[in-house]
Every structure is written in C-alpha cells, then in structure tokens.
Amino acid sequence: MATILILGGLGEDRTRTLLPYLLSPAGPSPAFVRVVDKYLCIPQADAYTTYVDVNTRAALKKGVETGVAEYVQGNLLTDSTRTKVFTLPAAHGGPSKGFDYVYDFSGEVDYELKDAVHIERTLKLALLLGQSAVEHCAGVYLRSLAGLYKVAGGKKGKVGDEGIVSEPWGTKASWHHEAARGLAQIKGLKLVLLRPAIVYGPFTVSGITPRVLIGEVYKYEGEKLEFLWAEGLAQNTIHSEDAASAAVAVAVWASSKSRDEITSLAGEELPTTLSSDSLVKDIPGAAKKDSDITAPVFSIVDDGETTTAQIAKVIAEVVGVEAGFHGTLISQFAKMNMKDVIEDVNEKHLEGWSALLTNSKPAISTTVPISPHTAADTLQPYPIQFSSEKLKKLTGWKPTHKLTPEIVRETVEGFRNEGNWPNATPKSKKK
C-alpha cells in the first residue's frame, strides 16, 4: 500500500477531488495520506477556514480517526515546513524512505495577479518543493498543470497527440508551465505532469460550474443566455472522479519505471513562454528561455469531445434558461476588445448574482464558494481540445463519464443541499 503526500489544492477542486477518491473503496487503499496547505483545518472538529465540501470533510475526518490520513497546516515556502511535511513517519518506513507518491497542487490560482506574484508563489515554490522531494527520497512526483493549452503554431491536431507541441496561454497557465519546465531539470526527480481538461462533477467550483451559474443569473434576469465564439469550438471536459482515477493510474504506472523510461514513453516538449530571461534570472533552478525541456505529460479528458454548443445545451436544460450564440460580428468585436468586454460581463453577472443570492429563500451570503465570475484567460477564443490516447495506452485508464444534464443536476443538488445554490424567483422575462 502506497504512502501519499498532497501539497496544496485544498481550497480548489484538485485536492478536494483526489482525497475522497483515495480514501474510497474505489481508490488504491493507501497506507497513509498527508495533506498540506496554508489553511487552518481541524477535521475532527469539522472546522475549516476555507471551503471544503461535505464529501471531503467526511473522508478526511474518517481518515484522521483511523490513522490513515493527516492534515498539516504550513507555509511551504519555509524550509522547516518542507522538511516536516516531506518526512515520512517512522511507522511507514521514514525518514530514510520517502513518500511513494507526491501530488503537487501548489501554486497561485488567481488568473489576474501580476507576474511577480506567480513567480514567487508558483515558480519559486515549485522548484523548492521539487528539490525537497529529491532530498527526502520521494517516489513519483506528480505536478498538475493549468488546463489552458492549445496546439502551438496553429497546427492541426489535439493537445497530447504524439508529436504535437502544445503551449499555454494566460499568466497563470504560463507560470505553471514554467514551473514544470524548471522541475524537469531537477536531477533525481521522477516527474510526471497532469494536464486536465475543463472539470465538472460533484462540488467542483471551477470549470463548468461558473458557466451554469451564469445561466442562473440570466434566468433570474429574464434574459437569453448568449455565448461568444463558434458553436463548434472545442471545450473538452473531464469528470472530477475520472480526473482523480487518472492521477492514481499514472502514479501506479510510473512507480515501477525509471525516470528515463517514463520520459521515453510519455515525454513531450515543453516550449518556453519567456520572451527573455529577465524575470527568472534570480530564481535558482528556473529554466531559461533557450533551454530545451522534455518531460512526461498526460492529458486527462473524457470521450465526449465536448464543444461550446454541448455546454450551452446542458446549461439550458439544467437551469431552464434560453441559450444561444452571439453572431460573428459581436464575437469579432469581443475578440478585439477583450478587456472591456470582460469587465462589462463580470459587472453584469456579479450584479445579478448578488441580487440572486439576496433574494433567495433563505438569503445566501455573498461569501459562498461558487461564483459566475469569469477570468479573461478562460474566455479566450481558443479550443481546448485534448487527447488522452497516451494515458489510455500506457496505463489502461478509461473515463467513465461524459458531460450530461444529469451529472450537472447532481452538482447543483450537492451545492443546494449545502445551502450554497440560489433559489430566488426569476424576474418577469424581458421582451
């Protein structure tokens, strides 16, 4: 049975998805799981200073009670914290032996912060964690990438296809990418990168959920929900449980292989996003602009070949809102004026969202963990078109879900049962 270390990610979907799966009957029955994040959490008292859904709370509480799981609060940028959390308990073979699997979900998650913040909280932190993993004899080191990737150079193909070079877009995704490039240079680190598509599933606060909430705002306002870009724009998806099972399948597959063998079988070129070395010259271990980097990467995506039209159809059916698409002219205008469009869209959505929460019965606090806020990076007219053929071929993994109204309704009901989904009566439909 494996020992597993999870770094960061509790305040978003990745850790809250993986942990319940690890500790469920469908999971790998780990010997020990340690979760580390900056938040104050006391699982035994059900006390959390960040949003943790009921499923994850139950799994973590039971895991702590049975001695299988442990939560550690700490700042991973500090040496003492890294030494503490990477040291495997003696009962499981430490400290001479390290954790079998390390899932690194650390890094800044805010799309709209400046480069300097991402460099400190994503790039610098990732390199420190990777070095600590080597020093403490960790096994497979799995790092999550942001899902905003497209085929480089406008060539045909899917992200993850053999021979295809892919590149990220946006500040957040680019610095997570640069963190991966730096990690790939660390000698002795058995690195594997995970690249999930747009997530959906129980208690997911990112991915599809904000889009459904936008539908709720338009329904409340009595307006038609109209999407930008082409109906056939690829917006590939992955169910949260399938993402978790893929993360485990990759770890198990990689555990029996050497670093060189893993790279040979699953390696992918990681092109630079840097225009120069000026931003990273003072970061020890950072990859340079001209560095040629190859690392194992697995795209994680379902078999639904999801498009914007399919997402619109699902939202319309689940929410009960009329949905359609803006014409070419409006989409072209938006493309040329993205900053202003994003500001206007978010102002409209958040104003309607506030009213929707206030007029729900009972009224819902504006501090709920879900929001229709749209980051500019996620509204770009680029396809998210991934291939998981490498993942299937090498590990035997297969997705078990596709995006359907039924699955999204389950997500809505989960948040509703927690008191986090609005129920205000819609206004009269506007003509």
Side-chain angles (χ1 to χ4, degrees), residues 256-268:
S256 62
K257 295 172 176 58
S258 69
R259 169 179 165 139
D260 289 346
E261 186 178 4
I262 295 168
T263 303
S264 174
L265 292 169
E268 184 177 309

Side-chain angles (χ1 to χ4, degrees), residues 24-105:
S24 73
S29 300
F32 179 66
V33 180
R34 174 180 288 161
V35 180
V36 185
D37 215 321
K38 61 186 177 183
Y39 307 103
L40 175 61
C41 302
I42 308 174
Q44 305 93 312
D46 207 30
Y48 295 85
T49 57
T50 188
Y51 171 69
V52 178
D53 62 84
V54 292
N55 288 352
T56 304
R57 289 182 183 220
L60 188 53
K61 184 175 183 179
K62 182 178 179 180
V64 170
E65 290 173 348
T66 58
V68 175
E70 175 186 59
Y71 179 79
V72 177
Q73 181 190 16
N75 179 358
L76 290 168
L77 281 166
T78 64
D79 294 342
S80 59
T81 297
R82 292 196 304 279
T83 298
K84 176 182 177 180
V85 302
F86 271 98
T87 300
L88 187 66
H92 299 286
S96 59
K97 177 182 180 296
F99 282 88
D100 296 308
Y101 312 150
V102 177
Y103 290 96
D104 180 2
F105 297 144

Side-chain angles (χ1 to χ4, degrees), residues 259-333:
R259 169 179 165 139
D260 289 346
E261 186 178 4
I262 295 168
T263 303
S264 174
L265 292 169
E268 184 177 309
E269 181 183 340
L270 301 182
T272 187
T273 66
L274 301 171
S275 58
S276 72
D277 291 332
S278 60
L279 291 175
V280 300
K281 61 183 177 63
D282 296 325
I283 307 297
K288 305 301 182 185
K289 177 179 179 291
D290 295 331
S291 300
D292 293 327
I293 306 292
T294 297
V297 188
F298 289 95
S299 294
I300 306 174
V301 63
D302 63 29
D303 293 331
E305 298 283 351
T306 310
T307 63
T308 303
Q310 290 171 273
I311 293 172
K313 184 178 179 181
V314 168
I315 292 173
E317 185 170 335
V318 172
V319 174
V321 65
E322 183 182 1
F325 284 80
H326 287 295
T328 303
L329 288 177
I330 292 179
S331 288
Q332 287 295 333
F333 173 82

Side-chain angles (χ1 to χ4, degrees), residues 13-37:
D13 293 327
R14 292 171 294 180
T15 294
R16 290 190 297 98
T17 293
L18 179 61
L19 182 62
Y21 177 78
L22 290 174
L23 300 178
S24 73
S29 300
F32 179 66
V33 180
R34 174 180 288 161
V35 180
V36 185
D37 215 321

Side-chain angles (χ1 to χ4, degrees), residues 28-350:
S29 300
F32 179 66
V33 180
R34 174 180 288 161
V35 180
V36 185
D37 215 321
K38 61 186 177 183
Y39 307 103
L40 175 61
C41 302
I42 308 174
Q44 305 93 312
D46 207 30
Y48 295 85
T49 57
T50 188
Y51 171 69
V52 178
D53 62 84
V54 292
N55 288 352
T56 304
R57 289 182 183 220
L60 188 53
K61 184 175 183 179
K62 182 178 179 180
V64 170
E65 290 173 348
T66 58
V68 175
E70 175 186 59
Y71 179 79
V72 177
Q73 181 190 16
N75 179 358
L76 290 168
L77 281 166
T78 64
D79 294 342
S80 59
T81 297
R82 292 196 304 279
T83 298
K84 176 182 177 180
V85 302
F86 271 98
T87 300
L88 187 66
H92 299 286
S96 59
K97 177 182 180 296
F99 282 88
D100 296 308
Y101 312 150
V102 177
Y103 290 96
D104 180 2
F105 297 144
S106 69
E108 180 54 56
V109 299
D110 192 329
Y111 290 93
E112 296 162 359
L113 295 177
K114 301 295 185 182
D115 285 330
V117 179
H118 287 279
I119 290 170
E120 178 73 12
R121 299 179 184 173
T122 299
L123 176 61
K124 180 179 177 181
L125 175 58
L127 298 175
L128 290 171
L129 292 172
Q131 193 59 51
S132 291
V134 173
E135 293 169 359
H136 290 84
C137 306
V140 185
Y141 194 90
L142 302 105
R143 168 87 182 181
S144 182
L145 297 170
L148 303 182
Y149 276 80
K150 56 186 174 67
V151 175
K155 296 181 180 180
K156 293 184 178 180
K158 296 181 178 181
V159 171
D161 275 341
E162 185 175 355
I164 290 292
V165 177
S166 304
E167 60 187 7
W169 73 82
T171 303
K172 172 189 168 182
S174 294
W175 284 115
H176 278 263
H177 181 84
E178 289 303 326
R181 295 181 75 238
L183 286 168
Q185 296 185 134
I186 297 178
K187 293 182 179 179
L189 184 67
K190 193 189 282 191
L191 174 69
V192 184
L193 301 171
L194 306 174
R195 181 171 50 210
I198 300 169
V199 71
Y200 62 95
F203 304 109
T204 50
V205 301
S206 63
I208 294 298
T209 297
R211 305 174 195 215
V212 180
L213 293 173
I214 291 172
E216 291 280 11
V217 170
Y218 280 84
K219 178 185 177 182
Y220 175 74
E221 296 289 350
E223 299 178 17
K224 181 180 180 180
L225 170 62
E226 293 186 282
F227 289 79
L228 288 169
W229 321 135
E231 295 182 37
L233 182 69
Q235 294 286 279
N236 291 176
T237 51
I238 184 68
H239 192 283
S240 54
E241 292 176 2
D242 286 334
S245 68
V248 172
V250 170
V252 172
W253 171 81
S255 64
S256 62
K257 295 172 176 58
S258 69
R259 169 179 165 139
D260 289 346
E261 186 178 4
I262 295 168
T263 303
S264 174
L265 292 169
E268 184 177 309
E269 181 183 340
L270 301 182
T272 187
T273 66
L274 301 171
S275 58
S276 72
D277 291 332
S278 60
L279 291 175
V280 300
K281 61 183 177 63
D282 296 325
I283 307 297
K288 305 301 182 185
K289 177 179 179 291
D290 295 331
S291 300
D292 293 327
I293 306 292
T294 297
V297 188
F298 289 95
S299 294
I300 306 174
V301 63
D302 63 29
D303 293 331
E305 298 283 351
T306 310
T307 63
T308 303
Q310 290 171 273
I311 293 172
K313 184 178 179 181
V314 168
I315 292 173
E317 185 170 335
V318 172
V319 174
V321 65
E322 183 182 1
F325 284 80
H326 287 295
T328 303
L329 288 177
I330 292 179
S331 288
Q332 287 295 333
F333 173 82
K335 188 182 295 186
M336 294 184 292
N337 300 274
M338 282 300 295
K339 183 178 180 180
D340 291 337
V341 168
I342 288 292
E343 290 178 356
D344 291 345
V345 162
N346 278 322
E347 182 178 355
K348 175 181 174 63
H349 293 171
L350 294 177

